[in-house]
Amino acid sequence: MKKRIFGAILTLLACPAASFASAASVPVPPLADQALAHDMLAELISINTVHQQGTLKAAEALKLRFLAAGFAESDLTLLAIPEHPNQGQLVVRLRAKAPKAKPILWLGHLDVVEAKPEDWTVPPFKLTERDGWWYGRGTQDMKGDDVAVASALIRLKREGFKPNRDLIAAFTSDEEAGDGSGVEWLVKTKREVIDAALVINPDAGGGAFKQGVRQAYGIQTSEKVYVTFQAEVTNRGGHSSIPEPDNAIYRLAEGLGRVAKYHFPVETTPTTRGMFAVNAKQETGQVAVDMLAVAKLPTDLAAAERLSQTPRLASRLRTTCVATQISGGHAENALPQRARASIQCRMIPLDTEAQVKARLEEVLADPAIKLTVLSPSAPAPDSAPDPALFKLFGKVVAESWPGVEIMPHMDLGASDSIYTRAAGIPSYGLSTTWTDAEDNRAHGRDERIREDRFYEGVEFSYRLMKALGTTKN
């Protein structure tokens, strides 16, 4: 799921008064590269890559683009997951003449969420251009970013650029839904194809506009890890004409009520402290004071409690658990023999599944409520906001969007970076396309991007890739 709905927008919502950008001009690619990027995006949008259709056709189309641009067959690895042969992965390598360091890996998923034509005002699987906006499923999440990465590689190849290390891009399947992420499969079974010193994931982080003004650019260095539990109560049931004091639905409801009132302890990380430090500059009064207070150690718990009155800020300060589904009973004239609820938790990276389960059992406070794991967590530690690397990121962002300040960012949702972080590869989210705070359509009807912002992102991706390709360590 894109994270872009949790990423750039949540960066903005964490600092609603922010206003960083000047009106300076923004660089865009040469016209020939704009034309190529436009055509590549139109082609990818026209290929339906929802889970049921798969990503193999899109991966094959990209491979032909790279071959036409002069990449050798040996630079392109097309892989399909054996259990799901329509789910294709394309790994592209721009080779260094004499590698001086381990490669850098870009991630980009090719799959999209479902889009029903009857719900849209334009065809979802056709690039429709209207009034400066480009419509189509995947324009924002994340085929626009895929094209920015692909076109950067093609441009560097055409220019004869020789990086100091191999630059790799993996265009993958099943980030949005399905039977397992393509990145997870690559990490587990094809590590040698994608092994890298660090990962750049354009499916996370980034910036947003509010009332036409650019806000801060968040670089995703961590994300909350999710785990889903099932809470279940069973008993012998009976006839509804003779109510029993031990009712499965009531017991479950009482336990869920206790969960609703419970707040996990406040926890901050280097990423969230860095976020609050930047956000504080854009606020005034008590909010600014409180943000500065939670940006330091030890954490000011009174300040954290005041900030937690705003749900989006509370979610950045602690692990959260919430009931998301419920079912119970088997007939309208019978006492329930079973009642179940799903509880999804989004954990601060410092927490573990076992710790959260134990705490939930304490809060449910009823041995009749059995708690089991429905969807286990995939632990993903923070990627440290390395000073030298962030200096490079900040330089490229400032060159691309003058006046914009960067900050570390923790996504509340999940991205494919959880798999590379878990594998020990530092991973950073740097989206290429700016979104709108008031009108984010990722996963929604009439998904769209602005034409000018798309081209800005294409140029940003090129500059970032070139800058990272010149680093020596």
Side-chain angles (χ1 to χ4, degrees), residues 384-438:
D386 177 80
L389 195 55
F390 264 59
K391 182 177 180 180
L392 183 150
F393 291 156
K395 182 175 183 294
V396 178
V397 168
E399 289 174 350
S400 301
W401 300 292
V404 171
E405 184 174 353
I406 68 169
M407 65 182 180
H409 175 78
M410 180 184 72
D411 276 1
L412 301 183
S415 75
D416 273 335
S417 293
I418 60 174
Y419 304 114
T420 51
R421 288 195 181 106
I425 309 175
S427 304
Y428 302 93
L430 290 96
S431 177
T432 68
T433 305
W434 287 66
T435 56
D436 283 282
E438 299 90 352

Side-chain angles (χ1 to χ4, degrees), residues 265-268 273 276-277 280 283-318:
V266 170
E267 294 180 282
T268 64
R273 290 193 290 273
F276 280 114
E283 295 290 350
T284 59
Q286 189 64 50
V287 172
V289 172
D290 288 343
M291 284 185 171
L292 282 177
V294 299
K296 302 173 183 176
L297 288 176
T299 305
D300 186 322
L301 296 182
E305 186 59 33
R306 286 190 292 270
L307 292 175
S308 293
Q309 301 311 302
T310 302
R312 64 179 180 268
L313 298 180
S315 294
R316 298 194 178 282
L317 286 166
R318 53 172 53 85

Side-chain angles (χ1 to χ4, degrees), residues 40 62 66 145-155 171 461 465:
M40 291 175 69
L62 277 178
F66 284 109
D145 295 289
D146 291 332
V147 168
V149 171
S151 62
L153 284 167
I154 289 172
R155 184 174 168 187
F171 302 96
S461 185
M465 194 172 288

